[in-house]
Amino acid sequence: MFSLLFGLGLALLSGLSWAQVATTTSRVLYINSYHPGYAWSDGIEQAIRERLAAAGRPIEVSTEYLDSRRFPDAALRDQQATLLAGKYAAYKPDLVMLSDNDAFHFALKHRARLFPDIPIVFCGYNSFRPALLDGIRNITGVNEEVELTGTVELAIQQFPQTRTLVFITSSGDASSQRIRQIAESTVFPKYRDRFKLLELHDASLPEIQAALGKQGQDSLVFLSGQTRDTGNGRALTPVENGRLISAISPLPVYSFWDFHLGTGIIGGQLLTARDQGLAAAEQALRILDGTRADNLPVVMTSPTSPLFDYAVMQQFGLERSDLPPGSQLINQPHSLWQDYRWQIIGSLLLFAVESLLILALLRVNRQRRQALQALDAERATLERRVIARTVELADSNRQLQAEAEERGHAEAQLREMALTTESILLASPVAIAVYRADGQYVLGNENYAALIGCTPQQLMGFNFRELSTWRQSGLLDQCLAALADGELKKHSVHYVTLFGREIWADCLLLPLTLRNEPHLLVQFFDQSERTHMLQELEMHRQHLAEEVALRTGELALAKEVAETANRAKSIFLANMSHEINTPLNAIISFTDLLQRKSSDPQQQDKLGKILAAANNLHLILRDLLTLARLEANRLAIVAADFTRADLAARIDEAIADSIRRKGLALTLELAALPERMHGDLERLSQMLLNYLGNALKFTSAGGIGLTASIIDDGENDFLVRFAVSDTGIGIAAENQQRIFLAFEQVDGSSTRNFGGNGLGLGINRLLARLMGGEVGLDSQPGVGSTFWFTARLGKAA
Ligand code: ADP
């Protein structure tokens, strides 16, 4: 059972592979009537092979040559049949293709033996008639029937001036005979009317040449058959025939077959081997695709193509534009491009490749140059950098060296400073000590030890946190606060040290870090001495204050006594003046009475002198009385309204005459005063007369002036300034202050020389004060004096 299945599988597989081979490659046997090199049948074979190869399926084409043109003996065909029978007994073709008549007849004669049931496609069969296939099956093909009219029409169009058509015909072979038949039946009747027709039938070459030589230029030749001449022991081939006739023809020669092209003919609508082969190949492909040959009708109208020889065209003045569309040309002048296309393409490619290479080389070169430039630039940059870096390094070396030296100096300075600091610390007049934060004494200077009242050694082992004196004086709290908040603290202490010394000190507590540990710098500014001094000073000050208070009391008392005495003196003076004045008035009155009643001149003179002395005394008494009252504050100002004229009249009355009599000028400038005023006219006049009297007394030449000016004008009152100027003896600066004091004169001789009691100016000073003013003078010895006073007067209602 298993072996059966296996065998079935193998059979299926082998059957499949056979089927694959059978369907993949078709076998075509092509039988050529002639020999290799025969242009016509070679053209057909080439077209068949090209078309089948282009079909896109594997087709194997074998060719057999009958060589019947060179060896026409019929017996040879039979021998060839026997040969092919042997040859194709095992190699059965799928299709047999035949070209030209001999192969057609050979195949049909020997078909049963050679190719039974194998489809046949023929071509190149001249003047095929369908009756030839009567009773024959599985065959089709392509008729080879020349078409004359197409070529003749074309020729007439190309040479429109044509009048004569020459046809070279022959009856030597079947094809020539057939052409002649066609010409006689179709062409000649058609053109006979319009053209002169000349047929050169079976003519020899010389005859043809002679006949053509006689024709005018308006003639055309149609090669429709062979010359009568034969070749050297064999028939002339169509190509040889074409060459010979073209060579002798002075006229354009047209043909109907392609094999004549290139022999010297101009061309025509030609029946071509290629067209035959291509048409036959089309039918072969349809049969191989499964169509039965019987179902494909024979192609009766042979395909033709317009083909021309460009070289011959040019001989006869034809241009490309004269050709029908799709025409093919031979003997075209080869362009350089056509001749050397591949060389040119190759050269161009080579050139392009070389150009590309050159460009690439140039690019590479440029890149290399750029790279070199970049390298140079980079190197230059690097060199610059190196130089710059070297300079930098040198600089930084120098700097480092300088810094090292500086650091060395600084360290030396620091060491020195440390030493100095230590020296300063030790030598400092301030008592300095350093304690650790835990209270332990670290170091201190001698002043500190001295302040505490011990030796530096005794301080070792001190811990400020344990000192009751520091706790009680509040110093410990400040130390702890300074350590806690890191800020400087100040504190003043007063306590008795462990060593029995009483100290007053201002303390500065400065927290600091030494060798990364918190410490406390304690500075004691010893205030003991200062405190002692301050205490002494305080005592002294208190003593002085007591003394001053005592003295002040004594002075007040003395002043009181003096003032009391002064008042008593003034009262006494006032009383005395009054007391003296009363009898003096009696003396004056009675002396005056006696003088007026006496008729004795001597007595009168004596009485006059008594009267003058008494009057003088009266004046002195008046002044004394005034002064005493003023000093005892007993003089009251008696204010009343008065006029400027009143004041001027008083002066005029009292002194103007005396002044004028002494030969002095008197100037009164009272215009600044208001018309009416309110004040003590009596006292005002007294003050002015005191000044004017002095001026008169101390002036021997020149003049005296009185000027009034307002220096402060109020709403209800005004401050008036009266100034009396003279051109008298003047007063030295050193005497100017004191003459306003009562009883003061410049010198004692003044009284003797000028009289006077030294009371006038004193009275003026006190009266001015009483009137809210003051007095002053401006004087130059030998030039003159100006005495002034100010007084506040009311404005008259
Ligand atoms: P006496 O009665 O002496 O003039 P006074 O008090 O009026 O007293 O003057 C005091 C002194 O001031 C005078 O003795 C005199 O020496 C001096 N004196 C006053 N007025 C003048 C003046 N106009 N020129 C020079 N000396 C004057």
Side-chain angles (χ1 to χ4, degrees):
M1 183 66 182
F2 175 77
S3 61
L4 182 69
L5 283 172
F6 183 71
L8 194 65
L10 275 180
L12 279 170
L13 280 172
S14 60
L16 191 66
S17 63
W18 175 83
Q20 278 177 333
V21 171
T23 51
T24 50
T25 305
S26 302
R27 293 171 181 170
V28 171
L29 173 61
Y30 166 63
I31 300 176
N32 186 331
S33 295
Y34 309 120
H35 52 273
Y38 191 73
W40 169 257
S41 53
D42 280 354
I44 290 174
E45 185 185 350
Q46 192 185 342
I48 287 172
R49 282 183 178 273
E50 279 179 18
R51 181 64 190 93
L52 294 184
R57 48 185 291 184
I59 301 172
E60 199 172 72
V61 181
S62 310
T63 302
E64 294 294 338
Y65 297 95
L66 296 183
D67 208 357
S68 66
R69 188 166 282 270
R70 293 189 299 180
F71 305 101
D73 188 353
L76 288 173
R77 300 293 90 78
D78 293 337
Q79 288 172 7
Q80 282 173 321
T82 304
L83 174 67
L84 292 184
K87 220 172 156 181
Y88 292 95
Y91 184 83
K92 292 286 181 199
D94 299 304
L95 177 69
V96 173
M97 296 187 77
L98 311 167
S99 73
D100 292 278
N101 295 25
D102 289 343
F104 180 84
H105 292 295
F106 172 80
L108 290 186
K109 185 180 176 185
H110 301 286
R111 188 179 191 187
R113 186 154 60 112
L114 295 175
F115 325 112
D117 304 326
I118 293 174
I120 291 175
V121 174
F122 64 86
C123 65
Y125 192 94
N126 286 304
S127 306
F128 172 79
R129 295 178 309 281
L132 282 171
L133 298 183
D134 286 347
I136 303 171
R137 313 243 47 91
N138 209 9
I139 185 166
T140 188
V142 182
N143 178 23
E144 182 198 331
E145 182 74 283
V146 286
E147 206 286 309
L148 305 187
T149 322
T151 300
V152 174
E153 278 296 317
L154 192 61
I156 293 167
Q157 278 174 22
Q158 289 177 337
F159 293 97
Q161 74 283 10
T162 302
R163 292 285 166 265
T164 305
L165 305 176
V166 180
F167 289 87
I168 295 171
T169 61
S170 66
S171 50
D173 56 63
S175 124
S176 299
Q177 287 168 16
R178 175 73 187 143
I179 289 171
R180 192 163 182 236
Q181 277 175 6
I182 294 168
E184 283 176 343
S185 60
T186 61
V187 177
F188 293 168
K190 189 175 179 184
Y191 297 104
R192 185 167 291 135
D193 296 341
R194 289 189 285 153
F195 299 95
K196 180 186 160 193
L197 298 178
L198 176 64
E199 185 182 8
L200 299 175
H201 185 67
D202 284 338
S204 65
L205 268 178
E207 286 167 352
I208 291 169
Q209 188 174 20
L212 294 181
K214 288 183 202 153
Q215 300 308 314
Q217 289 298 310
D218 54 356
S219 305
L220 296 173
V221 178
F222 295 92
L223 188 55
S224 327
Q226 303 281 87
T227 69
R228 203 174 64 218
D229 303 290
T230 54
N232 191 13
R234 61 170 175 81
L236 288 170
T237 65
V239 174
E240 289 166 337
N241 200 45
R243 267 196 208 114
L244 291 170
I245 291 174
S246 301
I248 58 164
S249 174
L251 302 170
V253 178
Y254 284 87
S255 171
F256 308 104
W257 288 278
D258 66 341
F259 47 72
H260 282 146
L261 198 68
T263 61
I265 66 156
I266 198 164
Q269 191 67 37
L270 304 182
L271 191 140
T272 70
R274 185 169 182 79
D275 290 334
Q276 285 286 311
L278 290 176
E282 289 302 330
Q283 288 188 318
L285 286 171
R286 293 184 67 185
I287 291 165
L288 290 175
D289 282 342
T291 309
R292 264 193 72 79
D294 293 334
N295 294 337
L296 295 172
V298 173
V299 178
M300 291 305 291
T301 306
S302 301
T304 57
S305 299
L307 294 171
F308 291 91
D309 188 329
Y310 186 75
V312 183
M313 276 170 60
Q314 284 205 312
Q315 279 176 31
F316 295 102
L318 270 192
E319 294 300 329
R320 282 174 203 266
S321 54
D322 297 321
L323 301 177
S327 295
Q328 294 170 46
L329 282 172
I330 63 162
N331 289 332
Q332 284 192 86
H334 283 193
S335 66
L336 209 61
W337 167 246
Q338 283 170 324
D339 289 346
Y340 299 101
R341 179 166 36 190
W342 294 113
Q343 286 89 330
I344 289 170
I345 290 171
S347 302
L348 283 174
L349 277 173
L350 204 65
F351 180 73
V353 169
E354 277 181 3
S355 300
L356 283 174
L357 278 172
I358 288 168
L359 282 175
L361 276 172
L362 285 172
R363 189 149 177 253
V364 166
N365 205 25
R366 201 178 67 228
Q367 284 174 345
R368 191 170 151 269
R369 211 167 48 239
Q370 285 173 346
L372 281 173
Q373 284 173 352
L375 268 175
D376 276 351
E378 190 65 24
R379 200 181 59 230
T381 310
L382 280 173
E383 277 173 6
R384 277 200 301 277
R385 276 197 202 151
V386 166
I387 291 168
R389 191 52 59 84
T390 311
V391 171
E392 270 174 33
L393 275 173
D395 281 352
S396 47
N397 262 344
R398 271 198 298 281
Q399 209 171 322
L400 277 173
Q401 241 170 7
E403 277 172 13
E405 279 172 21
E406 215 171 289
R407 206 167 43 240
H409 285 314
E411 280 170 3
Q413 273 179 347
L414 272 177
R415 274 196 301 278
E416 207 172 308
M417 267 172 69
L419 285 171
T420 311
T421 308
E422 199 181 327
S423 313
I424 289 169
L425 177 80
L426 292 173
S428 172
V430 179
I432 298 174
V434 176
Y435 288 88
R436 282 209 313 257
D438 61 7
Q440 188 58 49
Y441 172 86
V442 178
L443 66 90
N445 62 5
E446 285 189 0
N447 280 318
Y448 186 72
L451 181 86
I452 302 297
C454 64
T455 63
Q457 287 72 25
Q458 286 174 308
L459 286 168
M460 294 297 172
F462 250 53
N463 189 314
F464 70 74
R465 288 174 184 259
E466 296 163 1
L467 295 175
S468 57
T469 48
W470 284 38
R471 191 178 306 115
Q472 283 155 9
S473 64
L475 187 57
L476 178 59
D477 287 343
Q478 291 297 320
C479 291
L480 297 178
L483 285 168
D485 61 20
E487 283 178 7
L488 177 77
K489 300 280 183 256
K490 290 178 185 170
H491 190 64
S492 297
V493 291
H494 171 218
Y495 64 87
V496 179
T497 70
L498 290 178
F499 300 94
R501 182 151 192 260
E502 187 183 20
I503 56 169
W504 285 267
D506 291 335
C507 301
L508 277 183
L509 307 168
L510 179 67
L512 46 84
T513 303
L514 295 174
R515 288 185 291 276
N516 292 328
E517 277 189 41
H519 284 72
L520 191 67
L521 178 72
V522 179
Q523 297 180 53
F524 277 72
F525 296 88
D526 191 356
Q527 301 295 351
S528 305
E529 205 172 320
R530 191 167 150 264
T531 307
H532 284 305
M533 274 171 62
L534 281 176
Q535 284 174 345
E536 274 175 27
L537 269 175
E538 181 56 24
M539 278 163 59
H540 197 59
R541 193 188 62 75
Q542 277 178 9
H543 176 71
L544 278 177
E546 284 165 12
E547 195 100 326
V548 166
L550 194 66
R551 289 284 162 79
T552 308
E554 286 172 0
L555 276 173
L557 194 63
K559 189 172 168 255
E560 185 59 36
V561 171
E563 280 177 353
T564 307
N566 202 34
R567 269 198 304 278
K569 176 199 84 182
S570 298
I571 291 167
F572 171 76
L573 264 178
N575 290 339
M576 279 307 293
S577 302
H578 187 72
E579 290 303 319
I580 294 168
N581 210 28
T582 308
L584 190 61
N585 278 336
I587 293 169
I588 291 170
S589 304
F590 287 114
T591 308
D592 186 46
L593 196 65
L594 279 174
Q595 192 187 31
R596 270 189 270 143
K597 287 187 176 175
S598 168
S599 51
D600 182 0
Q602 275 190 343
Q603 194 183 25
Q604 271 193 344
D605 180 54
K606 285 173 184 156
L607 283 171
K609 282 179 180 164
I610 292 168
L611 198 58
N615 273 329
N616 199 25
L617 188 62
H618 182 259
L619 283 177
I620 291 168
L621 274 177
R622 190 199 67 180
D623 283 351
L624 266 177
L625 187 63
T626 303
L627 188 70
R629 282 182 178 172
L630 281 169
E631 284 187 341
N633 290 331
R634 287 193 171 186
L635 190 122
I637 293 295
V638 182
D641 283 357
F642 65 94
T643 64
R644 191 170 61 200
D646 293 341
L647 184 66
R650 290 283 182 108
I651 293 161
D652 201 41
E653 258 172 43
I655 203 159
D657 274 351
S658 311
I659 291 170
R660 287 186 195 112
R661 272 201 302 277
K662 202 174 175 182
L664 299 171
L666 174 67
T667 317
L668 294 182
E669 287 180 18
L670 301 174
L673 290 172
E675 204 65 45
R676 290 167 57 76
M677 306 150 262
H678 184 80
D680 193 337
L681 177 62
E682 195 64 34
R683 297 297 171 194
L684 212 54
S685 306
Q686 184 183 356
M687 288 163 82
L688 288 173
L689 289 174
N690 277 344
Y691 278 167
L692 285 166
N694 282 344
L696 174 63
K697 199 160 42 172
F698 295 107
T699 304
S700 51
I704 295 167
L706 166 65
T707 306
S709 54
I710 308 296
I711 52 175
D712 179 27
D713 196 4
E715 195 182 335
N716 300 318
D717 56 17
F718 57 94
L719 190 67
V720 63
R721 182 179 189 273
F722 291 100
V724 175
S725 306
D726 64 56
T727 51
I729 59 171
I731 304 160
E734 65 270 18
N735 298 321
Q736 289 180 7
Q737 285 302 317
R738 66 183 173 84
I739 53 168
F740 277 99
L741 298 176
F743 310 109
E744 285 291 341
Q745 294 178 317
V746 172
D747 60 55
S749 61
S750 160
T751 313
R752 284 190 296 278
N753 293 335
F754 301 101
N757 47 30
L759 291 176
L761 295 182
I763 289 168
N764 271 15
R765 181 172 63 88
L766 294 172
L767 278 177
R769 191 182 291 168
L770 204 60
M771 290 187 192
E774 51 192 357
V775 293
L777 88 154
D778 179 20
S779 180
Q780 226 179 321
V783 176
S785 309
T786 298
F787 282 80
W788 58 265
F789 69 86
T790 56
R792 193 161 287 278
L793 298 179
K795 294 195 171 172

